[in-house]
Amino acid sequence: MQGPIPAAFIAEQIGRHSDKLNIGAHAFFLGQVRSDCVEGKTVTAIEYSAYEEMILPVVKTLKEDLFNRFSDLVCLHIWHSIGVVKAGEASLLVIISTGHRKEAFQALEACVELIKEKLPVWKKELFSDGTARWI
Amino acid sequence: MATVKILYFGSIRDITGCSTDTVTDCSTIGEILEQIIKRYPAIEGIRYQISLNRQLLPHPAPQTSNLKPQTPNPKPDTRYPIPADGDEIALLPPFAGG
């Protein structure tokens, strides 16, 4: 999605699962832009860009992988920001829903690691003095 | 000989100053890379992977950081597919989602 992930959007997504009665656990990951200090300069925002046409096939493969590994997985959802997200705002939301809590935690960690490794997304730190760097 | 579309991303886009490009008269992925690097030699200083039509091409080791290059960029590989007219090739610096 363009820009930060609003808190109201997160609540709305949680509410959408109330009709799936085989779910017993949700696990969430919410990535937030951190205001790091790099060589005396403060990060005020991160600008995300992506190879958007490649994201859908990558996510499809990622989901197939996780559904094969975690038999208790009911559904999983991923939202990632594109564009500028200010420090303190959310840029990645992952919702994992399972029958029981154990696989919710395991699948969540596996999913976030796969996102970090496989998703064609890039980020540029924007500093308070107007400079920037790719990370 | 094929004409292919090239896409640049992340820090590579800062070097090229554009997001898309075209390479003509090429018969292998290696020739395409040579043409691109001839245009933008500074790309050699960036770690990247290559995708063909949105599929990553095999590479000996995953790239993990822009800042600390650990493995060389892909070299012309005879196992790579032969490019066809209209193919989309992208140069992808290390991913940094999240």
Side-chain angles (χ1 to χ4, degrees), chain A residues 78-131:
Chain A
I78 300 165
W79 292 269
H80 199 301
S81 295
I82 300 297
V84 174
V85 180
K86 293 177 190 166
E89 293 179 328
S91 58
L92 171 63
L93 171 63
V94 180
I95 303 179
I96 298 277
S97 306
T98 58
H100 307 81
R101 70 183 183 284
K102 191 173 179 184
E103 282 212 353
F105 291 129
Q106 293 170 343
L108 178 67
E109 182 169 13
C111 184
V112 173
E113 292 306 315
L114 283 173
I115 288 169
K116 292 271 182 185
E117 182 188 340
K118 307 278 188 189
L119 214 61
V121 173
W122 297 273
K123 58 184 169 189
K124 187 188 249 183
E125 285 178 327
L126 308 180
F127 296 107
S128 49
D129 65 355
T131 59

Side-chain angles (χ1 to χ4, degrees), chain A residues 21-92:
Chain A
L21 303 183
N22 54 339
I23 291 173
H26 300 292
F28 303 88
F29 178 84
L30 189 63
Q32 175 169 308
V33 172
R34 190 176 54 239
S35 181
D36 278 342
C37 191
V38 182
E39 294 167 356
K41 298 188 291 186
T42 304
V43 174
T44 56
I46 287 179
E47 183 175 9
Y48 293 94
S49 54
Y51 187 177
E52 294 189 34
E53 296 83 358
M54 192 172 160
I55 282 186
L56 276 184
V58 167
V59 168
K60 183 171 179 284
T61 306
L62 180 153
K63 284 188 171 184
E64 286 169 359
D65 179 11
L66 292 170
F67 273 99
N68 285 334
R69 285 161 63 185
F70 298 99
S71 58
D72 202 28
L73 186 58
V74 176
C75 63
L76 75 92
H77 306 279
I78 300 165
W79 292 269
H80 199 301
S81 295
I82 300 297
V84 174
V85 180
K86 293 177 190 166
E89 293 179 328
S91 58
L92 171 63

Side-chain angles (χ1 to χ4, degrees), chain A residues 31 46 48-54 57-58 80 91-92 115-124 133-135, chain B residues 7 9-14 49 51 53-56 62 66-67 88-98:
Chain A
I46 287 179
Y48 293 94
S49 54
Y51 187 177
E52 294 189 34
E53 296 83 358
M54 192 172 160
V58 167
H80 199 301
S91 58
L92 171 63
I115 288 169
K116 292 271 182 185
E117 182 188 340
K118 307 278 188 189
L119 214 61
V121 173
W122 297 273
K123 58 184 169 189
K124 187 188 249 183
R133 72 160 187 174
W134 291 98
I135 53 173
Chain B
L7 301 179
F9 290 97
S11 53
I12 290 180
R13 199 176 279 186
D14 280 0
Q49 301 179 88
S51 68
N53 298 329
R54 299 159 193 176
Q55 293 281 326
L56 277 182
N66 261 335
L67 307 175
E88 182 176 286
I89 289 177
L91 268 61
L92 312 171
F95 302 149

